[in-house]
Amino acid sequence: MRANAIVSAALIASAALPAHAVPPEEAFKAGCGGCHSSDKNILREIPKGPDEVRRAWILEFTAGHPNEMDSVKPQIVEYLVKKSAAAKSWWQFW
């Protein structure tokens, strides 16, 4: 229940701020947190490779995936690009 309050607060705060002012982790929570409590499942799916390859895959994926807050979508994409670059092995997500 507390997590829902935090996400709600982030939504309210981010609505009052320009999208670029929302920290990437908060953008993920605001745009994806209603359905995804963690980024682990999506990070498992993102292909390995250079940033451009991962960014293209993420952009294609998010184009057809529901998002609770479109204004933070660019921050979500960059958050996932950065997090997927740090992923070293599949088992770190378990």
Side-chain angles (χ1 to χ4, degrees):
M1 190 68 169
R2 180 182 164 112
N4 288 340
I6 292 170
V7 171
S8 295
L11 285 171
I12 292 167
S14 61
L17 296 171
H20 68 276
V22 178
E25 290 178 9
E26 291 302 316
F28 181 84
K29 289 177 187 174
C32 309
C35 297
H36 305 284
S37 60
S38 169
D39 57 15
K40 292 178 182 178
N41 287 339
I42 185 63
L43 290 173
R44 284 187 212 141
E45 300 297 322
I46 298 171
K48 303 294 180 235
D51 285 356
E52 302 81 36
V53 170
R54 293 190 325 279
R55 182 176 287 106
W57 186 93
I58 294 164
L59 285 168
E60 184 177 334
F61 174 80
T62 58
H65 193 77
N67 181 350
E68 297 169 335
M69 201 167 173
D70 284 339
S71 66
V72 296
K73 200 172 203 176
Q75 287 79 6
I76 293 168
V77 170
E78 292 311 310
Y79 171 78
L80 293 172
V81 169
K82 182 178 178 181
K83 288 280 289 205
S84 63
K88 301 295 184 217
S89 66
W90 67 270
W91 69 275
Q92 82 181 59
F93 300 117
W94 297 100

